[in-house]
Amino acid sequence: MIPYGRQHVDEDDIQAVVEVLRSDFLTTGPVVGAFEAALAGYCGVAHGIAVSNGTSALIMAVQALDIGPGDEVLLPAMTFAATATAVVMAGATPVFVDVLPDVLLMDPQDVERKITTRTKAVIAVDYAGNTCDYDALHALCRERGLALIADACHALGAQYKGRRTGTLADMTVFSFHPVKHITTGEGGFLATNDGALAQRLRRLRNHGIDADARNRERNATWKYAITELSGNNRITDIQCALGLSQLKKLDGFLARRRELAQVYDRAFAPSPRISPVPQAAGSLHAYHLYVVLLDLPDALTREALFHQMRNAGIGVNVHYIPVHHHPFYQRTFGLGPGLLPHTEAAYERMLTLPLFPDMTNEDAHTVAATLRGLLGET
Ligand SMILES: *Cc1c(COP(=O)(O)O)cnc(C)c1O
């Protein structure tokens, strides 16, 4: 089976992890800081905070803005549910915004329509690895006094008008789950140019405590203060050693993903039924996902095609079930199908094809030929 995504881990990654296992600090040690500095440097952002996973990072970002009950946060429904989880966990109300029908990125005009006096923030999602229209989103947020969070879990290494993700919003969140661009097993990251926010996020990583254990050790004090409530969102040095080693390969991973995307693009160019989601204007795509929209013949459902591809050994997937379709959101917020026409239409037609650095061009040709074959095109 060709999976839809898979990590690339080699000997130097393993060696880096082993070195930490032999060292003094397994967690909250020097490798966490080294990884933070390296990734912040890569993005060109002033501050980086590495945490336990991308979902924790999103929850921390929302908490750092003092968002709570009565507040509304705008976000797309075409995303992994974790984007919305962060809003709901804060006690705030998620307000789902439709996407642009071609690139499936948050539609700034629908953002504008849905801003109310209760709106506190916008969470943009760089779907599939394309970047959102940050000029439009910034202009709106500035004008209406809203914070802008980027969920760039798909888009590490992507660029918008020559600037890297991590610098495009007030806070940016990355994930290091194995299907993402680089992995730490589980892991997440917050990037910001705001020093005060960074300091707050560091507290939120560690129970709302104002200084970490190593600082206390260094300063020879047992005193600490819990200044606000948070849990344990820390990441280990073991994980960060893997992250630091993986980061050295990121540009290679990105280049390989872009090459494979081109193989697919070329294979589908003559197809009347298969429309790849294109690179967005101003965006240098990071290709976390390769998503196509299908115009299926009447005799074939997406469900049937999905199973036929799987039976042919090709691990296709669907990203995503719109968040407002999930029972929790229907029950809690009275939402459901009919709310977001472009999101829902795209969901019915979409298929994610395998894409990961170790895939060969041959694999991509096989995937493309199998899909075209099942659609009666070859
Ligand atoms: C992966 C992902 C997350 C969550 O990251 P985890 O590290 O798995 O918690 C959030 N948002 C999006 C869009 C993602 O793809």
Side-chain angles (χ1 to χ4, degrees):
M1 179 77 103
I2 305 175
Y4 92 84
R6 192 185 196 286
Q7 72 278 10
H8 170 99
V9 173
D10 45 33
E11 267 320 301
D12 53 317
D13 295 315
I14 294 167
Q15 209 44 51
V17 170
V18 168
E19 261 173 53
V20 170
L21 288 171
R22 297 188 201 283
S23 77
D24 289 337
F25 290 99
L26 298 189
T27 191
T28 318
V31 186
V32 177
F35 178 50
E36 289 174 340
L39 185 50
Y42 179 89
C43 295
V45 69
H47 308 281
I49 299 97
V51 298
S52 51
N53 57 66
T55 307
S56 304
L58 283 163
I59 292 169
M60 291 164 64
V62 172
Q63 188 175 348
L65 295 171
D66 292 314
I67 286 168
D71 296 335
E72 294 175 354
V73 177
L74 302 180
L75 74 162
M78 183 52 73
T79 183
F80 182 52
T83 319
T85 304
V87 177
V88 182
M89 296 277 271
T93 304
V95 175
F96 293 105
V97 172
D98 212 350
V99 292
L100 298 162
D102 52 350
V103 289
L104 309 185
L105 297 165
M106 196 176 207
D107 176 1
Q109 287 186 5
D110 201 38
V111 171
E112 186 163 23
R113 273 193 291 275
K114 287 175 176 163
I115 293 173
T116 72
T117 53
R118 292 166 174 256
T119 309
K120 287 287 162 17
V122 174
I123 308 181
V125 175
D126 296 323
Y127 177 78
N130 253 330
T131 51
C132 294
D133 184 350
Y134 281 101
D135 283 349
L137 293 175
H138 268 298
L140 270 175
C141 288
R142 204 173 313 118
E143 188 187 325
R144 309 296 284 265
L146 310 178
L148 180 59
I149 299 172
D151 179 343
C153 289
H154 292 187
L156 179 57
Q159 295 179 25
Y160 175 73
K161 298 189 175 175
R163 283 174 297 139
R164 284 206 169 123
T165 52
T167 64
L168 304 172
D170 299 322
M171 282 179 279
T172 300
V173 170
F174 297 114
S175 164
F176 310 123
H177 181 276
V179 298
K180 307 291 167 73
H181 286 84
I182 62 171
T183 190
T184 60
E186 297 279 359
F189 201 83
L190 287 139
T192 182
N193 277 320
D194 182 326
L197 270 180
Q199 201 176 0
R200 178 125 185 235
L201 291 168
R202 288 183 192 284
R203 286 200 301 269
L204 291 175
R205 172 168 59 184
N206 188 33
H207 304 281
I209 291 174
D210 63 353
D212 72 23
R214 246 170 17 114
N215 278 336
R216 282 199 298 285
E217 186 70 30
R218 205 155 40 225
N219 302 333
T221 177
W222 47 267
K223 289 181 183 160
Y224 64 90
I226 288 178
T227 53
E228 65 183 306
L229 192 68
S230 185
N232 174 359
N233 298 305
R234 298 187 304 260
I235 187 168
T236 65
D237 284 56
I238 306 166
Q239 291 167 298
C240 289
L242 180 54
L244 204 47
S245 177
Q246 290 259 301
L247 182 57
K248 295 180 189 145
K249 306 178 182 82
L250 174 57
D251 284 334
F253 290 161
L254 285 162
R256 187 66 198 131
R257 286 176 176 276
R258 288 174 182 139
E259 278 169 10
L260 288 161
Q262 268 198 1
V263 171
Y264 279 145
D265 281 348
R266 288 202 196 99
F268 298 135
S271 170
R273 296 196 180 275
I274 304 166
S275 308
V277 172
Q279 181 160 266
S283 174
L284 176 61
H285 205 312
Y287 286 105
H288 163 55
L289 301 176
Y290 191 90
V291 178
V292 296
L293 298 179
L294 302 165
D295 292 295
L296 294 175
D298 289 339
L300 184 61
T301 64
R302 195 256 312 259
E303 178 87 21
L305 179 67
F306 178 91
H307 291 294
Q308 288 167 12
M309 289 292 282
R310 289 259 171 170
N311 291 339
I314 295 166
V316 290
N317 215 315
V318 173
H319 296 96
Y320 292 95
I321 300 169
V323 179
H324 66 293
H325 286 196
H326 287 294
F328 171 81
Y329 288 89
Q330 299 207 23
R331 190 174 70 235
T332 310
F333 300 102
L335 305 173
L339 188 67
L340 304 170
H342 295 316
T343 300
E344 293 169 26
Y347 166 59
E348 297 298 331
R349 296 175 56 206
M350 65 188 359
L351 198 65
T352 303
L353 305 183
L355 183 65
F356 52 96
D358 287 342
M359 227 177 117
T360 64
N361 287 10
E362 193 58 42
D363 289 333
H365 284 296
T366 303
V367 172
T370 306
L371 183 60
R372 295 200 66 195
L374 289 169
L375 292 174
E377 290 190 343
T378 47

